[in-house]
Amino acid sequence: LSGCRSWAERVLPLLEARGVAPCALYVAAPSRKPEAHVRLLESSGVPCRPLRLKSGWTTESAVQSICREMAAIRPDVFIPNFWLPGHYAVRPLRAMGIETIGVMHSDDAYYWALADEFARGDAEYRCRHWVTVSSYLRDELRRRALPGEPLAVEMIPSGVRPATRVATEPTAEFRIGYVGRVVQEAKRIMDVATCMVRLAETFPEIRCEIIGGGSEERRLTEYLAAHAKDVPVRYLGVMDAEAAAQHMGDLHALLLLSDYEGLSVALTEAMAAGVVPVCYDCRSGLRDLVRDGENGFIVHDRETGVVSAIRRLLQEPGLWSSMSNRARSSISGVFLAETGAERWAQVIRRAAGDRPAGALPAGGPSVEEPVRLPPVHPHLKTFDTRDAVPPGAEDGLRSAAARRDHELLRT
């Protein structure tokens, strides 16, 4: 159900027909079988290679491992997706003739720290090509670009396939669903559960379902056991992306109360199936798709605004049908996986400079050379495990980090 994984599963298999040969590199634990999404990519014809990291790996050792794999694969372009060590491979990969494309999947502190480090930071580590999933992220990243520095930014949503199951006119029951990560930070899952209980208590025809997995599963289960004993609010657990997309056709409304998103994959899946979205207002992605009162509802609180929207869908004749039809027709063009794959192919060709596949220049740095990295970014330090600092180097690193902190505050 992750947007980052959904993007790979939907788009990578479509690139081959557009003249781009994809290969997926995945971080592999030594004793575990590949995860389900890796097997899905392989079954779709996308070659997958494991990146095996030793216990206690650091950012530097991960960058070296990436470079070894890239020397074997010999690609024209590398896309690190959301993994921090992959971004720090920009400098050595560029020296090998491989360009890197950055991707912003969400409007959160982690992704903006990535943008600060790799769109505005040390020139040797800057990604010159970026893709964002929403118009807000695209426009804001362009606004933050350094004056006079080339930065190509395109908006390409994760993309969905046309729905094979479509929501039907509600009769005796009106089914509301949440599909996504079961976490409180960002997704506000406990607010979703509380709101669903209130809806089910208020309207006897309401049936609510929560689908997904995450760190708040136990808390959610305990809450529903205590507060939803007498109302039809169920937690259905984890489904793979395809099963969740199919299940959308059983719903009538999608409830999304996130603090922030990039562009919710669940939202696009739901609207493609004619499910009417009821969403808490957030600045990224939502308004690319939802027109309040036309093909969905944008609410400004997580209680009375949601109840009012659902009441209208239940009580105003023809409203659900008209909004459902408009929601389905909204998923066209760039929001479809086929169109997204075509635009991705164009971005990849531009980044590669239209070089023939595998045309790496001779020479370049040895992949075994020591990895030199800029100072740890203050907002990425949780994800950045460095080798031990050489004796005597601490003061210089602290000074560089202090200058970076000052620049972050200034901008």
Side-chain angles (χ1 to χ4, degrees):
L1 295 174
S2 160
C4 304
R5 291 180 178 181
S6 297
W7 163 77
E9 292 168 2
R10 305 278 167 77
V11 173
L12 293 187
L14 300 174
L15 291 176
E16 188 81 45
R18 291 159 175 81
V20 176
C23 177
L25 193 65
Y26 65 95
V27 179
S31 59
R32 290 175 59 186
K33 294 181 179 179
E35 300 285 352
H37 63 281
V38 174
R39 298 194 298 272
L40 179 61
L41 281 174
E42 291 176 328
S43 68
S44 301
V46 177
C48 295
R49 293 173 64 101
L51 182 69
R52 301 199 182 278
L53 303 177
K54 295 180 181 179
S55 177
W57 62 270
T58 63
T59 301
E60 290 92 338
S61 66
V63 169
Q64 284 189 321
S65 296
I66 291 168
C67 290
R68 291 189 196 102
E69 287 297 319
M70 294 299 101
I73 300 170
R74 299 176 64 83
D76 297 295
V77 166
F78 176 62
I79 303 170
N81 209 3
F82 60 89
W83 197 39
L84 178 60
H87 290 77
Y88 278 122
V90 168
R91 186 187 69 84
L93 291 183
R94 183 171 291 142
M96 294 166 65
I98 303 169
E99 195 63 32
T100 300
I101 300 175
V103 185
M104 289 196 69
H105 289 284
S106 184
D107 180 25
D108 63 28
Y110 176 76
Y111 278 100
W112 284 116
L114 285 181
D116 183 66
E117 179 79 319
F118 300 105
R120 295 174 48 88
D122 189 320
E124 291 187 302
Y125 288 89
R126 280 185 213 143
C127 296
R128 296 181 288 219
H129 298 268
W130 287 80
V131 170
T132 71
V133 298
S134 76
S135 62
Y136 171 80
L137 294 176
R138 176 198 62 203
D139 297 345
E140 184 64 12
L141 185 55
R142 287 175 177 171
R143 188 187 69 80
R144 297 188 187 196
L146 293 171
E149 290 291 327
L151 190 68
V153 187
E154 298 290 337
M155 170 196 164
I156 310 177
S158 295
V160 297
R161 303 185 186 100
T164 55
R165 292 185 62 199
V166 177
T168 57
E169 184 87 24
T171 54
E173 295 181 348
F174 189 95
R175 296 164 69 92
I176 301 173
Y178 166 86
V179 181
R181 291 182 294 125
V182 177
V183 294
Q184 181 64 8
E185 195 271 333
K187 298 294 186 178
R188 299 293 288 265
I189 190 62
M190 298 311 298
D191 298 78
V192 170
T194 301
C195 187
M196 285 183 166
V197 168
R198 180 177 176 184
L199 289 168
E201 290 173 341
T202 304
F203 306 107
E205 60 267 65
I206 291 289
R207 303 290 181 270
C208 296
E209 301 171 348
I210 296 173
I211 298 169
S215 59
E216 299 284 3
E217 289 180 36
R218 180 174 178 179
R219 184 181 173 197
L220 173 65
T221 302
E222 291 174 350
Y223 175 84
L224 294 179
H227 296 89
K229 291 181 291 187
D230 302 319
V231 292
V233 180
R234 299 185 299 158
Y235 173 45
L236 302 184
V238 177
M239 292 185 186
D240 64 45
E242 292 305 314
Q246 287 289 315
H247 192 75
M248 287 292 187
D250 295 330
L251 303 176
H252 299 107
L254 178 79
L255 187 60
L256 191 67
L257 303 181
S258 305
D259 281 323
Y260 58 83
E261 294 278 352
L263 175 60
S264 167
V265 173
L267 175 64
T268 53
E269 296 277 11
M271 294 179 71
V275 178
V276 177
V278 179
C279 307
Y280 181 75
D281 196 9
C282 63
R283 64 187 183 180
S284 174
L286 184 60
R287 293 181 184 274
D288 288 330
L289 270 178
V290 181
R291 300 183 300 277
D292 185 34
E294 295 183 29
N295 61 0
F297 290 102
I298 298 174
V299 300
H300 301 281
D301 67 81
R302 296 180 174 90
E303 296 182 10
T304 57
V306 176
V307 173
S308 297
I310 296 299
R311 178 177 284 111
R312 289 191 60 190
L313 290 173
L314 291 172
Q315 297 179 357
E316 294 185 23
L319 179 62
W320 181 88
S321 294
S322 62
M323 296 186 82
S324 172
N325 290 333
R326 286 193 287 266
R328 284 191 68 197
S329 64
S330 300
I331 305 300
S332 60
V334 71
F335 299 105
L336 294 175
E338 292 278 348
T339 307
E342 186 61 46
R343 294 183 67 172
W344 261 106
Q346 294 169 4
V347 170
I348 289 168
R349 288 194 188 93
R350 284 198 298 271
D354 293 324
R355 290 176 293 132
L360 287 181
S366 166
V367 296
E368 302 304 329
E369 286 183 8
V371 174
R372 176 175 59 82
L373 299 178
V376 175
H377 190 288
H379 295 166
L380 294 172
K381 59 186 177 183
T382 304
F383 311 94
D384 194 352
T385 304
R386 298 289 180 91
D387 290 340
V389 178
E394 292 91 341
D395 290 342
L397 288 177
R398 276 197 293 268
S399 297
R403 287 194 300 271
R404 183 185 295 280
D405 277 340
H406 176 75
E407 179 66 13
L408 276 172
L409 289 171
R410 191 181 68 80
T411 58

